[in-house]
């Protein structure tokens, strides 16, 4: 879910446009995102508009009765038809729950999960921040925070309520910034589950 709140005056929007920043991430032991889902695939899921479009943009346009436009930009910059992603310095198993037999490298506590996830995401932000044009309106309501960041990681989800399951959280306190704006609220999505209903 994207963050969009109203001012104290009922019916007055805090902003009418959101620039959604998507950051693609793969793990140290994984190849690049599949070419079966080119960048155009993701662009359609996030940005398609017009009659009959099924996208994040068209959903929020309809749900807001034509008052909120959501545009999405993708990073790292691709420079071609396929997704380019930030590659983590740890394997996927590092971001999955601990199991003495099947995953001894996994996290074993909520604190460990948080530090691993937020460390990964803060590193991904740092890696792509220099590519985000200063002209991109990433803080539409002027509160000092990037309006919305969505991380899309490779692969399929693990169990519900684990790190590798679609969710929303906050990077506050991790020092992640883009063009001087703080990355606070974020969404994490899994490659195999990126569809409009989940977004």
């Amino acid at each position: 879910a994207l963050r969009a709140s109203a001012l104290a005056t009922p019916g007055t929007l805090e902003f009418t446009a959101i620039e959604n920043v998507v950051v693609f991430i793969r793990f140290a032991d994984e190849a690049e995102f599949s070419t079966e889902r080119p960048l155009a695939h993701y662009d359609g899921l996030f940005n398609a508009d017009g009659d009959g479009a099924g996208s994040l943009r068209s959903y929020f346009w309809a749900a807001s009765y034509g008052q909120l436009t959501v545009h999405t930009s993708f990073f790292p910059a691709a420079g071609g038809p396929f997704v380019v992603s930030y590659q983590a310095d740890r394997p996927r198993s590092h971001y999955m729950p601990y199991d003495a037999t099947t995953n001894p490298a996994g996290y074993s506590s909520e604190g460990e999960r948080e530090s691993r996830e937020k460390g990964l995401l803060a590193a991904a932000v740092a890696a792509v921040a220099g590519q985000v044009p200063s002209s991109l309106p990433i803080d539409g309501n002027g509160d000092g925070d990037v309006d919305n960041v969505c991380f899309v990681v490779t692969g399929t989800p693990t169990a519900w309520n684990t790190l590798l399951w679609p969710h929303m959280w906050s990077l506050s306190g991790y020092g992640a910034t883009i063009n001087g704006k703080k990355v606070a609220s974020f969404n994490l999505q899994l490659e195999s589950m990126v569809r409009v209903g989940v977004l």
Side-chain angles (χ1 to χ4, degrees):
L2 293 170
R3 261 182 337 109
S5 58
L7 296 172
T9 307
T12 304
L13 293 178
E14 188 174 341
F15 46 75
T16 58
I18 291 176
E19 184 65 36
N20 181 39
V21 175
V22 168
V23 179
F24 292 104
I25 299 173
R26 73 186 191 274
F27 300 104
D29 55 344
E30 293 179 340
E32 191 54 89
F33 274 67
S34 170
T35 56
E36 292 176 13
R37 294 185 188 105
L39 192 55
H41 168 78
Y42 293 99
D43 188 57
L45 290 172
F46 282 93
N47 288 321
D49 63 355
D51 290 341
S55 69
L56 180 99
R57 178 186 184 114
S58 63
Y59 171 81
F60 279 99
W61 180 255
S64 68
Y65 298 98
Q67 296 182 75
L68 178 63
T69 301
V70 179
H71 179 264
T72 299
S73 297
F74 303 96
F75 300 95
F82 301 111
V83 169
V84 173
S85 60
Y86 164 77
Q87 188 166 28
D89 61 359
R90 300 286 188 127
R92 171 177 282 272
S93 60
H94 184 74
Y95 304 98
M96 295 170 60
Y98 170 83
D99 182 281
T101 305
T102 62
N103 193 28
Y107 61 86
S108 58
S109 69
E110 192 58 33
E112 230 177 17
R113 172 204 164 158
E114 180 176 355
S115 65
R116 289 180 185 199
E117 176 177 5
K118 293 182 178 181
L120 166 68
L121 302 184
V125 168
V128 304
Q131 296 181 10
V132 180
S134 59
S135 59
L136 204 63
I138 59 175
D139 181 10
N141 64 347
D143 67 354
D145 290 350
V146 178
D147 292 328
N148 199 71
V149 177
C150 178
F151 298 96
V152 177
V153 299
T154 48
T156 58
T158 50
W160 179 82
N161 202 29
T162 58
L163 193 163
L164 297 178
W165 184 266
H167 62 275
M168 180 181 178
W169 207 355
S170 176
L171 262 179
S172 291
Y174 276 75
T177 61
I178 300 173
N179 296 336
K181 305 294 182 177
K182 221 173 25 172
V183 176
S185 294
F186 69 84
N187 294 279
L188 185 133
Q189 304 288 335
L190 277 294
E191 177 186 14
S192 70
M193 290 184 74
V194 175
R195 51 188 179 269
V196 177
V198 181
L199 295 174

